[in-house]
Amino acid sequence: MSDKPVALASDHAGVDLKAVLRQAMEAAGHTVLDLGTNGAESVDYPRFADAMAAAIRDGHADRGVLICGTGIGISIAANRHRHVRAALCHDTTTARLARQHNDANVLVLGARTTGVEIARDCTIAFLTTDFEGGRHARRVEMLG
Ligand code: RB5
């Protein structure tokens, strides 16, 4: 597991969940790199996906969590960056498998579609599960 901070970002729809997840990650011993947004004012989710991609590209974080209303827009935007493997998850099984099989480096959650407890459990599963490698490594390499 990386010693680097875990990057965390959301649009306005995800601000409340972001605060909950920040607390949960810090309680679990992680340092959090909060990339915003930090208020209710409407903002554009691609900017926060781009900020996440830049934080990972520049080595400020190896892993991150992104949130928007559904998780859809911000995951589409994040996956435009080739070094990002962003997985939109609605349950802990997919959060775990996103790490084990896909080596996902960004967990994406929908604040309006996933309950707080499930979102918290997904985050902990994502941060505590290693990539299995093996046959999955070849496939992940093929993603570019
Ligand atoms: C913002 O209203 C909303 O469209 C955004 O958070 C997200 O759900 C887009 O996919």
Side-chain angles (χ1 to χ4, degrees):
M1 278 297 153
S2 171
D3 289 337
K4 290 186 182 179
V6 180
L8 177 63
S10 75
D11 72 356
H12 54 286
V15 165
D16 291 347
L17 180 58
K18 181 163 73 65
V20 169
L21 296 186
R22 179 176 183 152
Q23 194 173 36
M25 288 194 276
E26 288 176 344
H30 298 284
T31 303
V32 174
L33 175 63
D34 191 335
L35 303 172
T37 190
N38 290 306
E41 185 186 345
S42 183
V43 293
D44 298 324
Y45 57 78
R47 296 190 187 288
F48 296 89
D50 291 348
M52 174 65 69
I56 293 172
R57 180 198 64 214
D58 296 342
H60 301 307
D62 293 328
R63 299 170 293 171
V65 180
L66 285 173
I67 310 161
C68 71
T70 60
I72 295 171
I74 208 162
S75 61
I76 292 170
N79 279 314
R80 302 257 160 150
H81 300 269
R82 289 190 83 85
H83 65 287
V84 172
R85 290 178 300 282
L88 174 57
C89 297
H90 299 95
D91 59 78
T92 54
T93 303
T94 45
R96 173 176 58 80
L97 288 169
R99 289 288 311 127
Q100 289 179 328
H101 288 192
N102 309 110
D103 199 19
N105 52 6
V106 175
L107 171 69
V108 187
L109 297 162
R112 294 172 178 161
T113 55
T114 299
V116 171
E117 292 292 330
I118 293 172
R120 195 176 2 224
D121 289 349
C122 285
T123 300
I124 297 303
F126 180 78
L127 294 176
T128 55
T129 305
D130 289 328
F131 180 45
E132 281 183 357
R135 69 188 188 281
H136 304 296
R138 181 180 69 251
R139 296 161 185 165
V140 170
E141 279 168 23
M142 290 172 74
L143 296 174

